[in-house]
Coordinates of all heavy atoms in Angstrom, one line a residue:
M1 N -37.7 41.8 -2.3 CA -36.6 41.1 -2.9 C -35.5 40.9 -1.9 O -35.1 41.8 -1.2 CB -36.1 41.8 -4.2 CG -35.1 40.9 -4.9 SD -34.6 41.8 -6.4 CE -33.3 42.9 -5.8
E2 N -34.9 39.7 -1.9 CA -33.7 39.4 -1.0 C -32.5 39.3 -1.9 O -32.6 38.9 -3.1 CB -33.9 38.1 -0.3 CG -35.2 37.9 0.4 CD -35.1 38.5 1.9 OE1 -34.0 38.8 2.3 OE2 -36.1 38.6 2.5
T3 N -31.4 39.7 -1.4 CA -30.1 39.5 -2.1 C -29.2 38.7 -1.1 O -29.0 39.2 0.0 CB -29.5 40.8 -2.5 OG1 -30.4 41.5 -3.3 CG2 -28.2 40.7 -3.2
T4 N -28.7 37.6 -1.6 CA -27.8 36.8 -0.8 C -26.5 36.4 -1.5 O -26.6 36.1 -2.7 CB -28.5 35.4 -0.4 OG1 -29.8 35.7 0.1 CG2 -27.8 34.7 0.7
K5 N -25.4 36.6 -0.8 CA -24.1 36.2 -1.3 C -23.7 34.9 -0.9 O -23.9 34.6 0.3 CB -23.1 37.3 -0.9 CG -21.7 37.2 -1.5 CD -20.8 38.3 -1.1 CE -21.0 39.6 -1.9 NZ -20.0 40.6 -1.6
F6 N -23.3 34.0 -1.8 CA -22.8 32.7 -1.5 C -21.4 32.5 -1.9 O -21.0 32.9 -2.9 CB -23.6 31.6 -2.2 CG -25.1 31.6 -1.9 CD1 -26.0 32.4 -2.7 CD2 -25.6 30.9 -0.9 CE1 -27.4 32.4 -2.4 CE2 -27.0 30.9 -0.6 CZ -27.9 31.6 -1.4
S7 N -20.6 31.9 -1.0 CA -19.2 31.6 -1.3 C -19.2 30.2 -1.8 O -19.7 29.2 -1.2 CB -18.5 31.7 0.0 OG -17.1 31.3 -0.2
I8 N -18.6 30.0 -3.0 CA -18.7 28.7 -3.7 C -17.2 28.3 -4.0 O -16.7 28.6 -5.1 CB -19.4 28.8 -5.1 CG1 -20.7 29.6 -4.9 CG2 -19.7 27.4 -5.7 CD1 -21.9 28.9 -4.3
P9 N -16.6 27.4 -3.2 CA -15.2 27.1 -3.4 C -14.9 26.4 -4.7 O -13.8 26.5 -5.2 CB -14.9 26.1 -2.2 CG -16.0 26.5 -1.2 CD -17.2 26.9 -1.9
N10 N -15.9 25.7 -5.3 CA -15.7 24.9 -6.5 C -15.6 25.8 -7.8 O -15.3 25.3 -8.8 CB -16.8 23.9 -6.7 CG -16.6 22.7 -5.9 OD1 -15.7 22.6 -5.1 ND2 -17.6 21.7 -6.0
I11 N -15.9 27.1 -7.7 CA -15.8 27.9 -8.8 C -14.3 28.1 -9.2 O -13.5 28.5 -8.4 CB -16.4 29.4 -8.6 CG1 -17.9 29.3 -8.4 CG2 -16.0 30.3 -9.7 CD1 -18.6 30.6 -8.1
S12 N -14.0 27.7 -10.5 CA -12.6 27.9 -10.9 C -12.4 28.8 -12.1 O -11.3 29.2 -12.4 CB -12.0 26.5 -11.2 OG -12.7 25.9 -12.2
C13 N -13.5 29.2 -12.7 CA -13.4 30.0 -13.9 C -14.7 30.6 -14.3 O -15.8 30.3 -13.7 CB -12.8 29.3 -15.1 SG -13.9 28.1 -15.8
G14 N -14.7 31.5 -15.3 CA -16.0 32.1 -15.7 C -17.0 31.1 -16.2 O -18.2 31.4 -16.1
H15 N -16.6 30.0 -16.7 CA -17.6 29.0 -17.2 C -18.4 28.4 -16.0 O -19.6 28.2 -16.1 CB -16.9 27.8 -17.9 CG -16.8 28.0 -19.3 ND1 -15.6 27.9 -20.0 CD2 -17.7 28.3 -20.3 CE1 -15.7 28.1 -21.3 NE2 -17.0 28.4 -21.5
C16 N -17.7 28.3 -14.9 CA -18.4 27.8 -13.7 C -19.5 28.8 -13.3 O -20.7 28.4 -13.0 CB -17.5 27.7 -12.5 SG -16.2 26.5 -12.7
V17 N -19.2 30.1 -13.3 CA -20.2 31.1 -13.0 C -21.3 31.1 -14.0 O -22.5 31.1 -13.6 CB -19.5 32.5 -13.0 CG1 -20.5 33.6 -12.9 CG2 -18.5 32.6 -11.9
K18 N -21.0 30.9 -15.3 CA -22.1 30.8 -16.3 C -23.0 29.6 -16.1 O -24.2 29.7 -16.2 CB -21.5 30.7 -17.7 CG -20.9 32.0 -18.2 CD -21.1 32.1 -19.8 CE -21.0 33.5 -20.3 NZ -19.9 34.2 -19.7
S19 N -22.4 28.4 -15.7 CA -23.3 27.3 -15.4 C -24.2 27.6 -14.2 O -25.4 27.2 -14.3 CB -22.5 26.0 -15.0 OG -21.5 25.8 -15.9
I20 N -23.6 28.2 -13.2 CA -24.4 28.5 -12.0 C -25.5 29.5 -12.4 O -26.7 29.3 -12.0 CB -23.5 29.0 -10.9 CG1 -22.6 27.9 -10.4 CG2 -24.4 29.6 -9.7 CD1 -21.5 28.5 -9.5
Q21 N -25.2 30.5 -13.2 CA -26.2 31.5 -13.6 C -27.3 30.8 -14.3 O -28.5 31.2 -14.1 CB -25.6 32.6 -14.4 CG -24.7 33.5 -13.6 CD -24.0 34.5 -14.5 OE1 -23.4 34.2 -15.5 NE2 -24.0 35.8 -14.1
K22 N -27.0 29.9 -15.2 CA -28.0 29.2 -16.0 C -28.9 28.4 -15.1 O -30.1 28.5 -15.2 CB -27.4 28.3 -17.1 CG -28.4 27.7 -18.0 CD -27.7 26.8 -19.0 CE -28.8 26.2 -20.0 NZ -29.9 25.6 -19.2
E23 N -28.3 27.6 -14.2 CA -29.1 26.6 -13.4 C -30.0 27.4 -12.4 O -31.1 27.1 -12.2 CB -28.2 25.7 -12.7 CG -27.4 24.7 -13.6 CD -28.3 23.7 -14.3 OE1 -29.4 23.5 -13.8 OE2 -27.8 23.3 -15.4
L24 N -29.4 28.4 -11.7 CA -30.2 29.1 -10.7 C -31.2 30.0 -11.4 O -32.3 30.2 -10.9 CB -29.3 30.0 -9.9 CG -28.3 29.3 -8.9 CD1 -27.7 30.3 -8.0 CD2 -29.0 28.2 -8.1
G25 N -30.8 30.5 -12.6 CA -31.8 31.3 -13.4 C -33.0 30.6 -13.8 O -34.1 31.2 -14.1
D26 N -33.0 29.3 -13.9 CA -34.1 28.5 -14.2 C -35.1 28.3 -13.0 O -36.2 27.8 -13.2 CB -33.7 27.1 -14.7 CG -33.2 27.1 -16.1 OD1 -33.4 28.1 -16.8 OD2 -32.6 26.1 -16.5
M27 N -34.6 28.6 -11.8 CA -35.5 28.5 -10.6 C -36.5 29.5 -10.6 O -36.3 30.7 -10.8 CB -34.6 28.5 -9.4 CG -33.7 27.4 -9.2 SD -32.7 27.6 -7.7 CE -33.9 27.5 -6.4
D28 N -37.8 29.1 -10.2 CA -38.8 30.1 -10.0 C -38.4 31.0 -8.8 O -38.0 30.6 -7.8 CB -40.1 29.4 -9.5 CG -40.9 28.8 -10.7 OD1 -40.5 29.1 -11.9 OD2 -41.7 27.9 -10.5
G29 N -38.6 32.3 -9.1 CA -38.3 33.3 -8.0 C -36.9 33.9 -8.1 O -36.7 34.9 -7.5
V30 N -36.0 33.3 -8.8 CA -34.6 33.8 -8.9 C -34.7 34.9 -10.0 O -35.1 34.7 -11.1 CB -33.6 32.7 -9.2 CG1 -32.2 33.4 -9.6 CG2 -33.4 31.8 -8.1
I31 N -34.2 36.1 -9.5 CA -34.3 37.3 -10.4 C -33.0 37.6 -11.1 O -33.0 37.9 -12.3 CB -34.8 38.5 -9.5 CG1 -36.1 38.3 -8.9 CG2 -34.7 39.8 -10.3 CD1 -36.4 39.0 -7.6
A32 N -31.9 37.5 -10.4 CA -30.6 37.8 -11.0 C -29.5 37.0 -10.3 O -29.6 36.8 -9.1 CB -30.3 39.3 -10.9
V33 N -28.5 36.7 -11.0 CA -27.3 36.0 -10.4 C -26.1 36.6 -11.0 O -25.8 36.6 -12.2 CB -27.3 34.5 -10.8 CG1 -26.2 33.7 -10.2 CG2 -28.7 33.8 -10.5
E34 N -25.3 37.2 -10.1 CA -24.0 37.8 -10.4 C -22.9 36.9 -9.9 O -23.1 36.4 -8.8 CB -23.9 39.2 -9.8 CG -25.0 40.2 -10.1 CD -24.9 40.7 -11.5 OE1 -23.8 40.7 -12.1 OE2 -25.9 41.0 -12.1
G35 N -21.9 36.8 -10.7 CA -20.8 35.9 -10.2 C -19.4 36.6 -10.3 O -19.2 37.4 -11.2
D36 N -18.6 36.2 -9.4 CA -17.2 36.7 -9.4 C -16.3 35.5 -9.3 O -16.1 35.0 -8.2 CB -17.0 37.7 -8.2 CG -15.6 38.3 -8.2 OD1 -14.7 37.7 -8.9 OD2 -15.4 39.3 -7.6
P37 N -15.7 35.1 -10.4 CA -14.9 33.9 -10.4 C -13.6 34.1 -9.5 O -13.2 33.1 -8.9 CB -14.4 33.6 -11.9 CG -15.2 34.6 -12.7 CD -15.9 35.6 -11.8
G38 N -13.1 35.3 -9.5 CA -11.9 35.5 -8.7 C -12.1 35.4 -7.2 O -11.3 34.7 -6.5
A39 N -13.2 35.9 -6.8 CA -13.6 35.8 -5.4 C -14.3 34.5 -5.0 O -14.6 34.2 -3.9 CB -14.5 37.0 -5.0
K40 N -14.7 33.7 -6.1 CA -15.5 32.5 -5.9 C -16.8 32.8 -5.1 O -17.1 32.1 -4.2 CB -14.6 31.4 -5.2 CG -13.4 31.0 -5.9 CD -12.6 29.9 -5.2 CE -11.2 29.7 -5.8 NZ -11.3 28.9 -7.0
E41 N -17.4 33.8 -5.6 CA -18.7 34.2 -4.9 C -19.8 34.4 -6.0 O -19.5 34.9 -7.1 CB -18.5 35.5 -4.2 CG -17.8 35.4 -2.9 CD -17.6 36.7 -2.2 OE1 -17.8 37.8 -2.8 OE2 -17.1 36.7 -1.1
I42 N -21.0 34.1 -5.6 CA -22.1 34.5 -6.4 C -23.1 35.3 -5.5 O -23.2 35.1 -4.3 CB -22.9 33.4 -7.1 CG1 -23.4 32.4 -6.1 CG2 -22.0 32.7 -8.1 CD1 -24.5 31.5 -6.7
T43 N -23.8 36.3 -6.2 CA -24.8 37.1 -5.5 C -26.1 36.9 -6.2 O -26.2 37.1 -7.4 CB -24.4 38.6 -5.5 OG1 -23.0 38.7 -5.0 CG2 -25.3 39.4 -4.7
V44 N -27.1 36.4 -5.4 CA -28.4 36.0 -6.0 C -29.4 36.9 -5.5 O -29.6 37.1 -4.3 CB -28.7 34.5 -5.6 CG1 -30.0 34.1 -6.3 CG2 -27.6 33.6 -6.0
S45 N -30.2 37.5 -6.4 CA -31.4 38.3 -6.0 C -32.6 37.4 -6.3 O -32.7 36.8 -7.3 CB -31.5 39.5 -6.9 OG -30.4 40.3 -6.8
W46 N -33.4 37.3 -5.2 CA -34.5 36.3 -5.3 C -35.7 36.7 -4.5 O -35.6 37.7 -3.7 CB -34.0 34.9 -4.8 CG -33.5 34.9 -3.4 CD1 -32.2 35.3 -3.1 CD2 -34.2 34.7 -2.2 NE1 -32.0 35.2 -1.7 CE2 -33.2 34.9 -1.1 CE3 -35.5 34.3 -1.9 CZ2 -33.6 34.7 0.2 CZ3 -35.8 34.1 -0.6 CH2 -34.9 34.3 0.4
D47 N -36.8 36.1 -4.8 CA -38.1 36.4 -4.1 C -38.8 35.0 -4.1 O -38.5 34.1 -4.7 CB -38.8 37.4 -5.0 CG -39.4 38.5 -4.1 OD1 -39.7 38.3 -2.9 OD2 -39.4 39.6 -4.6
A48 N -39.9 35.0 -3.3 CA -40.7 33.8 -3.2 C -41.1 33.4 -4.6 O -41.4 34.3 -5.4 CB -41.9 34.0 -2.3
P49 N -41.2 32.1 -5.0 CA -41.1 30.9 -4.1 C -39.7 30.5 -3.9 O -39.5 29.4 -3.2 CB -41.9 29.9 -4.9 CG -41.7 30.2 -6.3 CD -41.6 31.7 -6.4
A50 N -38.7 31.1 -4.4 CA -37.3 30.7 -4.0 C -37.1 31.0 -2.6 O -37.7 31.9 -1.9 CB -36.3 31.5 -4.9
T51 N -36.2 30.2 -2.0 CA -35.7 30.4 -0.6 C -34.2 30.2 -0.6 O -33.7 29.6 -1.5 CB -36.3 29.4 0.4 OG1 -35.9 28.1 0.1 CG2 -37.9 29.4 0.4
E52 N -33.6 30.7 0.5 CA -32.1 30.5 0.6 C -31.8 29.0 0.6 O -30.9 28.6 0.0 CB -31.7 31.2 1.9 CG -30.2 31.5 1.8 CD -29.8 32.5 2.9 OE1 -30.4 33.5 3.1 OE2 -28.8 32.1 3.6
E53 N -32.7 28.3 1.3 CA -32.5 26.8 1.4 C -32.6 26.1 0.0 O -31.8 25.3 -0.3 CB -33.5 26.2 2.4 CG -33.2 26.4 3.8 CD -31.7 26.1 4.2 OE1 -31.3 25.0 3.9 OE2 -31.0 27.0 4.6
N54 N -33.6 26.5 -0.8 CA -33.7 25.8 -2.1 C -32.6 26.2 -3.1 O -32.2 25.5 -3.9 CB -35.1 25.6 -2.6 CG -35.8 26.9 -3.1 OD1 -35.1 27.9 -3.4 ND2 -37.1 26.8 -3.1
I55 N -32.1 27.5 -2.9 CA -31.0 27.9 -3.7 C -29.8 27.1 -3.4 O -29.1 26.5 -4.2 CB -30.7 29.4 -3.6 CG1 -31.9 30.2 -4.2 CG2 -29.4 29.8 -4.2 CD1 -31.9 31.7 -3.8
K56 N -29.6 26.9 -2.0 CA -28.4 26.1 -1.6 C -28.5 24.7 -2.1 O -27.5 24.0 -2.4 CB -28.3 26.1 -0.1 CG -27.6 27.3 0.5 CD -27.5 27.2 2.0 CE -26.5 28.2 2.5 NZ -26.5 28.2 4.0
S57 N -29.7 24.1 -2.0 CA -29.8 22.7 -2.5 C -29.6 22.6 -4.0 O -29.0 21.6 -4.4 CB -31.1 22.0 -2.0 OG -32.2 22.6 -2.4
T58 N -30.0 23.5 -4.7 CA -29.7 23.5 -6.2 C -28.2 23.6 -6.4 O -27.7 22.8 -7.2 CB -30.4 24.6 -6.9 OG1 -31.9 24.5 -6.8 CG2 -30.1 24.7 -8.4
L59 N -27.6 24.5 -5.7 CA -26.1 24.6 -5.8 C -25.4 23.3 -5.5 O -24.5 22.9 -6.2 CB -25.6 25.7 -4.9 CG -25.9 27.1 -5.3 CD1 -25.6 28.1 -4.2 CD2 -25.1 27.5 -6.6
K60 N -25.9 22.6 -4.5 CA -25.3 21.3 -4.1 C -25.6 20.3 -5.2 O -24.7 19.5 -5.6 CB -26.0 20.8 -2.8 CG -25.2 19.8 -2.0 CD -25.9 19.6 -0.7 CE -25.0 18.8 0.3 NZ -25.7 18.7 1.6
E61 N -26.8 20.2 -5.8 CA -27.1 19.3 -6.9 C -26.2 19.5 -8.1 O -25.9 18.5 -8.8 CB -28.6 19.5 -7.3 CG -29.6 18.8 -6.5 CD -31.0 19.3 -6.7 OE1 -31.3 19.7 -7.9 OE2 -31.9 19.2 -5.8
I62 N -25.9 20.7 -8.4 CA -25.1 20.9 -9.6 C -23.6 20.9 -9.3 O -22.7 21.3 -10.1 CB -25.5 22.2 -10.3 CG1 -25.3 23.5 -9.5 CG2 -26.9 22.1 -10.8 CD1 -25.5 24.8 -10.2
N63 N -23.2 20.5 -8.1 CA -21.9 20.3 -7.7 C -21.1 21.6 -7.4 O -19.9 21.6 -7.6 CB -21.1 19.4 -8.7 CG -20.1 18.6 -8.0 OD1 -20.1 18.3 -6.8 ND2 -19.1 18.2 -8.8
Y64 N -21.8 22.6 -7.0 CA -21.2 23.9 -6.6 C -21.7 24.2 -5.2 O -22.4 25.3 -5.1 CB -21.4 25.0 -7.6 CG -20.7 24.9 -8.9 CD1 -21.4 24.5 -10.1 CD2 -19.3 25.1 -9.0 CE1 -20.7 24.4 -11.3 CE2 -18.7 24.9 -10.2 CZ -19.4 24.6 -11.3 OH -18.7 24.4 -12.5
P65 N -21.5 23.4 -4.2 CA -22.1 23.6 -2.9 C -21.6 24.9 -2.3 O -20.4 25.3 -2.5 CB -21.7 22.4 -2.1 CG -20.5 21.8 -2.8 CD -20.7 22.1 -4.2
A66 N -22.4 25.6 -1.6 CA -22.0 26.9 -0.9 C -21.3 26.5 0.3 O -21.6 25.5 1.0 CB -23.3 27.7 -0.6
A67 N -20.2 27.2 0.6 CA -19.5 27.0 1.9 C -20.3 27.5 3.1 O -21.0 28.5 2.9 CB -18.1 27.7 1.8
G68 N -20.1 26.9 4.2 CA -20.7 27.4 5.4 C -22.2 27.1 5.5 O -22.8 26.5 4.7
Ligands
CU1 CU1 -15.0 26.8 -14.4

């Protein structure tokens, strides 16, 4: 299992974190999504078939693109 932290500038409140948790949670291979609205960060635990790239593209699609 991999754990990756993403910085998401568009996070403004706990609702944003909840939306991200719901959308990423629907992806095959995503195990857990923790979010910190104050730090504007999410931490994703994932395994194949998820990849860091497809997590990033989902974040972009739902308008919470990862920084960097
Ligand atoms: Cu919000």
Side-chain angles (χ1 to χ4, degrees):
M1 186 181 81
E2 307 274 347
T3 301
T4 310
K5 188 177 277 189
F6 297 93
S7 175
I8 317 282
N10 283 359
I11 290 177
S12 59
C13 70
H15 270 126
C16 299
V17 170
K18 283 212 161 48
S19 311
I20 293 169
Q21 285 174 316
K22 185 182 179 311
E23 298 292 337
L24 293 188
D26 284 346
M27 292 177 67
D28 281 343
V30 170
I31 297 156
V33 183
E34 301 291 329
D36 181 342
K40 300 179 189 285
E41 281 176 354
I42 59 162
T43 304
V44 184
S45 302
W46 56 275
D47 229 327
T51 64
E52 202 168 307
E53 282 312 303
N54 68 23
I55 292 168
K56 276 186 169 172
S57 57
T58 297
L59 287 167
K60 203 171 189 176
E61 277 167 25
I62 64 172
N63 212 25
Y64 290 107

